[in-house]
Amino acid sequence: MTTQFMTMTKRLDAVSEEERGKLMALARAVEFPAGARIFEERGTADRFWLLRDGEARLELRVPGSVAAVTETLGQGSLLGWSWMFPPRRWHMSATAVTPVRAWEFDAADVRELCEQDPRFGYVFTLACAEVIGHRLDSARTRLLDLYGPYGSGLSR
């Protein structure tokens, strides 16, 4: 169930080289071994990641059942968007499926950059909004497939 839509890194091609440089100046290289929990649903969302390589899965708690895997993310994907809006709590959990290398960003620093540079902030927020819309649609479809009486009705 790996995503087949435009990656976050491709979306960031819409910002200037200078703006991208300001964002990347805030990045820190991190790695997660396969099986590592990257973040936990309802935990504090104070950072996010751009995946350089590897795969991470998003999971959603389902009362009375095991967590549902809603999507698997790969290279170029944005991992984490809950940091953008109060109450800044993760809406899902994320686990490394394979070893993951990523750029990690402190959310407060990126929000400050967006405020300081409104053009960058607009483009960056729009890119994140596209990801959010896609993730919500994927979660809805996956949950209907798993738990709806007739599935989602969408072909796979």
Side-chain angles (χ1 to χ4, degrees):
M1 189 170 26
T2 302
T3 59
Q4 298 297 319
F5 68 104
M6 190 188 319
T7 65
M8 184 65 172
T9 52
K10 190 69 177 164
R11 284 182 174 90
L12 290 176
D13 284 347
V15 301
S16 72
E17 192 73 32
E18 179 184 349
E19 291 166 327
R20 200 169 19 262
K22 288 178 184 178
L23 176 65
M24 293 311 295
L26 302 175
R28 178 174 83 89
V30 297
E31 296 183 14
F32 300 98
R37 185 67 111 185
I38 300 171
F39 57 84
E40 189 69 43
E41 187 175 345
R42 298 188 187 118
T44 301
D46 59 357
R47 64 198 68 237
F48 67 93
W49 302 264
L50 290 178
L51 301 184
R52 295 165 53 203
D53 53 54
E55 290 187 337
R57 70 174 174 250
L58 295 174
E59 304 162 341
L60 184 61
R61 286 187 194 150
V62 178
S65 186
V66 297
V69 175
T70 60
E71 196 164 6
T72 301
L73 307 176
Q75 182 179 24
S77 295
L78 172 69
L79 178 58
W81 56 264
S82 303
W83 59 273
M84 293 186 76
F85 309 104
R88 295 186 172 79
R89 298 272 176 208
W90 297 117
H91 290 85
M92 297 183 187
S93 299
T95 302
V97 176
T98 64
V100 169
R101 292 183 331 130
W103 294 115
E104 182 178 86
F105 297 85
D106 178 271
D109 291 344
V110 175
R111 285 193 302 268
E112 184 177 324
L113 175 61
C114 290
E115 288 177 22
Q116 291 172 353
D117 185 343
R119 180 192 154 358
F120 169 78
Y122 173 76
V123 172
F124 186 78
T125 301
L126 186 60
C128 289
E130 288 183 66
V131 170
I132 293 167
H134 174 82
R135 298 269 165 82
L136 292 174
D137 188 52
S138 291
R140 175 189 168 279
T141 300
R142 182 68 176 141
L143 291 174
L144 283 171
D145 283 344
L146 291 171
Y147 304 107
Y150 305 105
S152 67
L154 300 175
S155 61
R156 294 181 202 214

